Amino acid sequence: MNKQAIRERAARIRLVILDVDGVLTDGSLYLGDDGQEFKAFNARDGHGMVLLQETGVRLAVISGRSSNLVRIRMANLGVAHVYQGYRDKAPAYDELKQILELPDDACAYVGDDVIDLPVMRRVGLAIAVGDAHPLVRQHAHWCTGAPGGRGAVREVCELIMDAQGTWDTMVEPPR
């Protein structure tokens, strides 16, 4: 898909849905001897998410796994819609659309693995992170340059803000 078509799709986005492992993180799972799970989140991704929300675009997470860390991180970033433990992500997607009263073309989804494909095939802007599974990259409208957990989400946020004409105002110094 050409750059202009991507920008046109991005201009219509009112909700960005993110997978967690492999998108907001690099996909590594760190487990302590006691079974406690650790994840690393990218601070620039988080700042991009905060900026995007300040423009009025909503954010949501749909993850196949469940983690208290994700709940805490999303609360810190102001992400109100967090769905965890959904191997089939379509029901969560349908619920989000209903709650927020949004059509498919107003939604973007960022994924990295085949579990994300059913929702990616329905949204107005399907995005694969730079190191996504080849099949996911094949079905994406756009692929980030950065891998998951390493700035891919920031790229998505900046793409949408730029397409909607809000990026410049978000980075202007205060007067």
Side-chain angles (χ1 to χ4, degrees):
M1 187 170 282
N2 71 42
K3 198 172 199 171
Q4 183 57 35
I6 298 300
R7 287 182 57 78
E8 289 171 7
R9 286 177 180 262
R12 293 190 295 265
I13 299 305
R14 297 294 167 254
L15 171 66
V16 176
I17 305 164
L18 306 164
D19 177 35
V20 176
D21 296 318
V23 172
L24 284 168
T25 74
D26 68 4
S28 297
L29 300 175
Y30 302 95
L31 301 174
D33 286 339
D34 61 358
Q36 186 173 357
E37 185 176 302
F38 302 89
K39 297 177 187 281
F41 295 94
N42 185 290
R44 288 189 194 117
D45 284 347
H47 190 234
M49 293 166 67
V50 169
L51 291 174
L52 185 61
Q53 288 178 104
E54 288 177 4
T55 72
V57 175
R58 294 179 171 154
L59 290 174
V61 164
I62 304 175
S63 179
R65 295 175 39 83
S66 293
S67 168
N68 194 41
L69 292 170
V70 172
R71 183 190 57 76
I72 292 167
R73 180 64 175 149
M74 293 308 106
N76 289 341
L77 295 173
V79 177
H81 305 283
V82 179
Y83 294 82
Q84 296 193 75
Y86 282 80
R87 279 201 50 75
D88 178 1
K89 297 183 178 190
Y93 175 64
D94 290 334
E95 184 176 315
L96 271 169
K97 285 193 334 171
Q98 182 180 10
I99 290 169
L100 300 175
E101 299 178 348
L102 293 171
D104 288 329
D105 70 343
C107 301
Y109 186 92
V110 186
D112 73 305
D113 211 340
V114 295
I115 190 174
D116 301 310
L117 287 173
V119 175
M120 288 179 72
R121 289 180 174 133
R122 294 175 55 191
V123 296
L125 181 58
I127 302 168
V129 295
D131 59 341
H133 186 281
L135 191 59
V136 174
R137 292 177 60 82
Q138 177 184 334
H139 284 90
H141 297 116
W142 184 66
C143 297
T144 67
R150 304 275 187 221
V153 171
R154 179 63 173 262
E155 284 184 39
V156 171
C157 295
E158 289 183 13
L159 167 75
I160 292 168
M161 287 186 284
D162 186 55
Q164 295 181 359
T166 57
W167 172 242
D168 289 340
T169 59
M170 295 310 292
V171 296
E172 282 181 3
R175 295 174 195 234

